[in-house]
Amino acid sequence: MRVAIAGAGAVGRSIARELIGNGHQVLLIDKSPSSIRPERVPDAEWLLADSCELSSLEEAQFDKCDVVIAATGDDKVNLVTSLLAKTEFGVPRTVARVNHPNNEWLFTEAWGVDVNVSTPRIMSALVEEAVSVGDLVRLFTFRQGNANLVEMTLPPESPYVGTPSGLVPFPDNCALVTILRDGQVYSPSGEQLLEAGDELLFVVPADVEEELERLLSPTSHGG
């Protein structure tokens, strides 16, 4: 497939590397000269252009793209890019990044968006796939650093229910990154109390996962 990605920041470059690794042809577009760094993704095509301008998209040959991904940090830019890709160039599939959850309602087919990607919603959806309370579930693996994003739903019998997250003796190299509770996303500040049923997301090395599970849910290991 030929894929154009609007936004050559960290998100856009990461997507590009993944797609190139899977054998796809990728074009990265950004209007900021400082973002045009071909050495960071040498196998991609690069274009210094504004993805909200029709002339730029004509230069990028959007009419020959199978997929357009609007991955900038500006929701307005992502919406306009998707709309132009769909209505002016007939791109078969558009994917748009939602930076601010309050704007998610705009990212629909009416704006030319086939798929919208909101990080909190993705996390919530992945967590719904957890096997059971107290089980640690690996969501995905980071290619750099030998670490995984894992999820655990804190069981009622955990010894750390009611404990501030900052006082839980998590294993070394283990980072609690998000607490999902009642459909809300909470930042794991040190004072944030853990509650039974909390869905906890961690970044943790593979060799520490079992220790983390044993700490938070000792009964699942017969302890």
Side-chain angles (χ1 to χ4, degrees):
M1 292 192 302
R2 185 171 192 267
V3 182
I5 302 172
V11 172
R13 295 194 305 270
S14 178
I15 296 169
R17 293 187 193 101
E18 189 75 20
L19 290 172
I20 290 170
N22 290 331
H24 302 297
Q25 181 184 359
V26 174
L27 168 67
L28 277 163
I29 307 168
D30 205 292
K31 67 178 181 180
S32 171
S34 62
S35 295
I36 302 299
R37 304 285 293 276
E39 70 277 5
R40 293 187 174 183
V41 191
D43 293 325
E45 301 174 52
W46 289 76
L47 178 65
L48 176 62
D50 186 343
S51 64
C52 292
E53 296 287 341
L54 268 176
S55 59
S56 297
L57 304 187
E58 289 171 353
E59 182 180 357
Q61 297 183 309
F62 264 35
D63 58 319
K64 296 182 179 179
C65 289
D66 300 291
V67 180
V68 166
I69 301 173
T72 78
D74 188 324
D75 285 345
K76 297 186 295 295
V77 171
N78 292 343
L79 281 173
V80 172
T81 300
S82 299
L83 185 63
L84 292 176
K86 183 65 72 173
T87 60
E88 299 295 328
F89 297 93
V91 175
R93 190 166 183 80
T94 58
V95 180
R97 172 187 176 188
V98 184
N99 294 279
H100 301 289
N102 289 343
N103 295 332
E104 190 172 353
W105 65 276
L106 285 166
F107 286 72
T108 65
E109 291 183 2
W111 275 92
V113 178
D114 293 318
V115 179
N116 69 66
V117 180
S118 169
T119 300
R121 183 171 295 275
I122 287 176
M123 285 185 169
S124 296
L126 288 170
V127 165
E128 290 299 323
E129 298 177 2
V131 177
S132 64
V133 172
D135 287 333
L136 188 145
V137 179
R138 184 179 296 179
L139 300 179
F140 64 82
T141 299
F142 297 100
R143 289 195 170 185
Q144 304 292 330
N146 188 35
N148 302 311
L149 179 68
V150 302
E151 182 273 346
M152 173 185 278
T153 300
L154 194 67
E157 65 272 19
S158 172
Y160 297 106
V161 170
T163 301
S165 63
L167 297 181
V168 178
F170 295 123
D172 292 339
N173 297 324
C174 172
L176 174 62
V177 294
T178 303
I179 300 171
L180 303 178
R181 180 188 301 154
D182 299 327
Q184 300 296 315
V185 179
Y186 294 90
S187 175
S189 64
E191 298 77 27
Q192 180 72 53
L193 298 179
L194 300 183
E195 296 181 8
D198 279 355
E199 294 166 331
L200 310 176
L201 276 76
F202 298 87
V203 174
V204 58
D207 59 359
V208 178
E209 289 179 357
E210 185 175 343
E211 181 183 352
L212 175 63
E213 185 176 10
R214 191 164 52 242
L215 172 76
L216 295 176
S217 184
T219 57
S220 68
H221 294 268

